[in-house]
Amino acid sequence: MKIGIIGIGNVGSVLGRKWAAKGHDIRFGIRDLNNEKFLELKAQYPLKIHGRDVEETIEFGEILVLAVPWESAKKILRDAKNLEKKIINDCTNPIKDLSTLQVGQTTSAAEIIQDIAKTARIVKGFNTIGANIMEDPIFNGIKADTFICGNDIEAKKIVATLAEEIGFNVVDVGELSLARYLEPLALLWINMSLNPKYQRNIAFKLLKR
């Protein structure tokens, strides 16, 4: 699959490397092709990882992954020329500070992104844990959960498959409006990860009988 990743921070770089290892073609949308992190990834997977500007990356991707701050994601999508029917996995969280979201409860970052991207198929995913858990989502033989939501069933299946490929158990919580609750869950993870009692090696698990 052709995957365009916007951003090469901790989340984008981990996902790109792990998907490249699974045989997917990865293109990072970045401004600086001499970015040290990008060059390291390119050296590891020279045939699978490439870098282009954001517009070329959007055109390339069968699925796009937003792995930039929320405000940047909004600007990028407003400037994008063609998002028609694109699958966009939104990893962003509209965090104002460690106790507050910029939006929440009555709407979500994902829903605002859907409004901007019009006919694109938005899936919320990979937003409730840190990049270190994406690196290794297995806890004593148990797969960490990653929660997704969205209005397009096919798009969610594709995102779920990509998540399962790198070791996650996927929980589809429902329609895109449920991002209103997944984004605060990310804030909980961040606060718990800063607590010396828990630190960053934590993940959420849904149990059911």
Side-chain angles (χ1 to χ4, degrees):
M1 176 168 281
K2 295 178 180 179
I3 304 174
I5 300 178
I6 311 301
I8 195 163
N10 293 334
V11 169
S13 59
V14 168
L15 291 176
R17 180 174 53 75
K18 297 202 76 171
W19 285 328
K22 294 295 182 179
H24 297 288
D25 293 316
I26 310 300
R27 185 168 294 182
F28 284 98
I30 53 177
R31 295 175 180 173
D32 181 12
L33 294 179
N34 292 314
N35 177 285
E36 184 176 341
K37 192 174 291 185
F38 168 72
L39 293 176
E40 289 176 1
L41 293 172
K42 176 70 174 170
Q44 283 182 282
Y45 297 97
L47 300 180
K48 290 295 179 182
I49 290 180
H50 302 279
R52 293 291 188 274
D53 65 29
V54 170
E55 195 59 47
E56 288 178 300
T57 299
I58 290 172
E59 184 66 28
F60 167 84
E62 295 172 282
I63 178 170
L64 302 175
V65 178
L66 293 177
V68 291
W70 181 54
E71 293 293 344
S72 298
K74 288 192 293 181
K75 183 180 187 307
I76 287 167
L77 294 179
R78 285 192 181 108
D79 293 342
K81 294 177 181 177
N82 184 16
L83 296 172
E84 182 77 21
K85 299 297 183 181
K86 286 279 189 182
I87 298 172
I88 302 177
N89 183 90
D90 170 28
C91 302
T92 70
N93 287 302
I95 294 172
K96 183 176 182 180
D97 53 50
L98 291 181
S99 62
T100 312
L101 296 174
Q102 294 182 50
V103 297
Q105 303 303 306
T106 58
T107 188
S108 64
E111 291 169 276
I112 293 170
I113 284 172
Q114 179 70 83
D115 288 340
I116 295 169
K118 307 299 184 188
T119 62
R121 296 177 285 169
I122 309 300
V123 179
K124 192 77 186 184
F126 300 107
N127 76 297
T128 57
I129 48 175
N132 63 306
I133 306 302
M134 297 176 194
E135 183 76 55
D136 181 11
I138 310 297
F139 288 72
N140 298 320
I142 299 173
K143 294 180 179 180
D145 287 346
T146 188
F147 301 90
I148 67 171
C149 64
N151 296 333
D152 188 286
I153 293 174
E154 180 187 8
K156 286 195 289 187
K157 286 181 178 178
I158 291 171
V159 172
T161 297
L162 290 172
E164 289 164 353
E165 283 183 358
I166 61 175
F168 281 103
N169 181 65
V170 178
V171 179
D172 180 353
V173 302
E175 296 182 352
L176 193 65
S177 60
L178 273 296
R180 299 174 190 183
Y181 308 110
L182 293 187
E183 290 167 6
L185 189 60
L187 199 58
L188 175 62
W189 188 92
I190 291 169
N191 276 268
M192 291 179 70
S193 74
L194 296 172
N195 186 327
K197 180 180 177 180
Y198 299 110
Q199 301 183 39
R200 289 180 57 82
N201 276 312
I202 56 173
F204 300 115
K205 189 71 184 174
L206 176 68
L207 300 178
K208 57 184 178 180
R209 294 190 189 279

